[in-house]
Each structure stands twice: as C-alpha cells, then as structure tokens.
Amino acid sequence: MSKVGDAMRFEFATATRIVFGSGVVHEVGKISSGMGKRVLVVTGKTVSRAAPLLDILTEAGLETMTFQVAGEPTIDLVRIGIEQAQAANCDMVIGFGGGSPLDAGKAIAGLLTNPGQLMDFLEIIGCGKQLKKPAAPYIAIPTTAGTGTEVTRNAVLTSPDHNAKVSLRSPLLLPQVALVDPELTYTLPPEITASTGLDAFTQVLEPFVCSKTNPIIDALCREGLQRAARSLRQVCEHGEDKGAREDLALVSLFGGLALANAGLGAVHGFAAAIGGMLPAPHGAVCATLLPYVMATNIRALKERQPYCAALQRYKEIARILTGKANVSANDGVMWVQELCSTLHIPPLASHGMGAADIPTVIEKAAQASSMKANPVPLTREEMRTILEEAM
C-alpha cells in the first residue's frame, strides 16, 4: 500500500471481455462465433446442468464434448483433460461451473497451445516455465458466486502427491470472455451459497487492506463490500431473492478482479495450505479463518504499525458492514463473527484438521504468495493463535 507522497504505479489486466447480466448465458452461441469449431466444455460433477448450454452451442453450429471435474482439479485429472481435448482436436474451451471446473478449463486451454508437460509450467512443485503462446480461446461461465476465477490469470490445481495446491500462472491464461449470469446461481443450496459467498466477501475485503492495493481495486472493493453487507445474509436465508443473487455475483466478479491485480492476505495464505492437505471446501475454510485473521491483523497493526493505512481501512470496513459511522475496526470483526455463526460455518476441525497439522500449515502458509500481501507480517505465534482459534 503506497504511503502519502509516494509515486503511484500500478497495472490492471483482466479478461478481454466481461458480459454480465441475467440471461446472458443464452448469448453464448453468438459470443463464441468465430472463436472455434470444436469445443471442450468442462463441467462440475453434475454434467446435466450444462445440457442447455450444450444445446445453445450445437444450435450455433459448434461440435461439443464434455469433461467432468467432480471435485478439486488435480494435476492428473487436468492432464487427462488436455489429452482428451487434443485427441478430439478441440480448438476452444468453455468452463461451466464453480471454481474447480473453471480453473481446470483455464489450464487445459493454456496447454492446448503450449508444447510441454503440465509440470513444466507449475509453480513450486514444477519447473515454473512461462507460457509462450496465448491459450486456446476460453470462455468462463461461473455457476457459483465465489471464486471470481473467471477474471484471474491463474489456475489453482491440487497435487495429492505433494499435499499442496499450486498455480499455473500467466497473463496468457486470462479468459477471452467472462460470461457472468446471476440466474445460474439461483438453485444453489444454502450451504454452498454461504461458503462461496463468504469466499467472495473475503476476496473484496483482503485486497482492500493488502499491501498492494491501488485506486481501481479500492473502488471495486468498496462497492463489493457494500453489496456483500446488504445481501450475503439475505441470499443465504432467501435464495429466491434475485436482487441479492445479482449482488453476490457482482461481489464475486469484483473479488476476482481485485485479487488478480492486487493481492489477498493471510486468510488465503492459510486456505491454500489447508486445501492442499485436507479435503476441505475452499470457501468454508476462508469463512472460518476470516474473523480471526481480521482480529489478529488489527491487533498487530496497532502494536507494530499504528500509522499504517490498513488500520484505517479496517475501520472503514466496519462502517460499511455495520452501517454506522462511529465504530471501531473490531466492530467489523464482530459483524463477521456474527454472520459466520448465523450461517453455521463449521470450525477447521470439522474438515479433519488437528493440532498436529498446525506446524505444517504454518510453514506452507508462510511461503504462500497471498500471505506475503498481508497488510502486516505475522509472527509464527500469531499464525498459530489464528489456527487454534479457528479449530
């Protein structure tokens, strides 16, 4: 975060085209015209949800085949997807579903045009080589309001062999089109709505206080926080509320734009480590951690960096969330805690995490890129306290 008087410099990159609105999925045939002839449609575990999409593509004269991503996308699964797309001569990819199929589709599109093995390009556990050629044309169509991966430049993949989540990362992975239709989220059950919605909420909160924010990100995050404050609880309790569904779809989109161009923080640093070790839903883990990370950051800032702009931003977050002018930063923490309690967000222990896992999570989280964008460096003891409180 720049100090007053510092020279300002930042960049902003996103999908070539963003199309947002109720019913826009029906425009996918026209939108995909000229992008390819044979389409690999990457879906979630319920392939039948993509049936209307496949009909639209067929009517537009495109040949389609589907590839199912039933859970977190593993390196081996994505490798199979790449091989199937190559064997079928697919020249275009569409991701349709939550963050998992969208990330898998992004990775498949990237490797369709870049010679080499997937491990050649992966961070941390791979060679970390850079993609040289633009990915195959890729349209990202989210059916949850959570990850914002439709506008990010990385694909998060799981390696069971390494107990880790790692990224395939490149500006060349930015989708050609992000097609965001709130109607696709109408049928999400309350539990998934809550966990993905809290992930989206976290992704407009962390970039707002992170060390790499900029004026464009600030505007997106403020708008996203306001919409989350008024609609997150509402949409979980009244899923038929179309206005609230639209708000959460925008929060998710804004969160993706923000994290891709600024950074995140300790919540996602921990979540990346935990997600690689345990079969825990990413959004639920983020939700569990969020109030404890907020409280620890606020306390650490007061003790070590009392004049840091992030401390004032936590107070601004509290004003947005509570709707009150005269509040403290910790009032925002209380608001989040009450929300998580109302939405029955489970503790980390419910996902199988135990005290013996804490040292490993701390070591892995400390190396995560998200942790490095946290507004204040956390000590190992502070990190331990967060995990113990979230257990």
Side-chain angles (χ1 to χ4, degrees), residues 132-146:
K132 300 293 185 182
K133 299 180 180 179
Y138 181 57
I139 298 177
I141 308 176
T143 62
T144 64

Side-chain angles (χ1 to χ4, degrees), residues 39-221:
V39 187
L40 179 73
V41 179
V42 184
T43 74
K45 63 180 179 180
T46 309
V47 180
S48 59
R49 286 201 67 194
L53 171 66
L54 297 174
D55 290 342
I56 294 170
L57 295 171
T58 300
E59 290 174 7
L62 297 168
E63 296 182 55
T64 65
M65 65 176 293
T66 60
F67 182 72
Q68 183 186 38
V69 178
E72 297 280 346
T74 64
I75 292 170
D76 286 343
L77 182 64
V78 170
R79 190 180 290 122
I80 292 170
I82 295 166
E83 292 171 354
Q84 290 189 8
Q86 290 171 333
N89 294 316
C90 292
D91 53 5
M92 177 183 171
V93 181
I94 293 178
F96 182 86
S100 293
L102 263 59
D103 273 356
K106 202 183 297 183
I108 293 168
L111 269 293
L112 274 181
T113 55
N114 285 273
Q117 299 299 312
L118 184 56
M119 287 294 291
D120 293 339
F121 304 101
L122 289 176
E123 297 177 346
I124 304 174
I125 64 171
C127 299
K129 292 182 179 180
Q130 295 297 307
L131 298 179
K132 300 293 185 182
K133 299 180 180 179
Y138 181 57
I139 298 177
I141 308 176
T143 62
T144 64
T147 67
T149 192
E150 66 271 14
V151 287
T152 66
R153 66 189 81 191
N154 68 306
V156 180
L157 309 180
T158 299
S159 173
D161 292 340
H162 298 85
N163 288 327
K165 280 189 174 183
V166 295
S167 281
L168 174 65
R169 192 185 308 272
S170 171
L172 300 174
L173 289 179
L174 283 165
Q176 194 159 338
V177 180
L179 192 63
V180 186
D181 187 339
E183 288 185 4
L184 297 175
T185 70
Y186 286 0
T187 58
L188 286 177
E191 181 180 350
I192 296 177
T193 298
S195 64
T196 56
L198 280 160
D199 185 22
F201 171 56
T202 304
Q203 290 176 176
V204 291
L205 191 154
E206 287 202 295
F208 188 58
V209 295
C210 83
S211 60
K212 302 177 182 179
T213 192
N214 65 61
I216 295 178
I217 303 307
D218 291 347
L220 289 168
C221 290

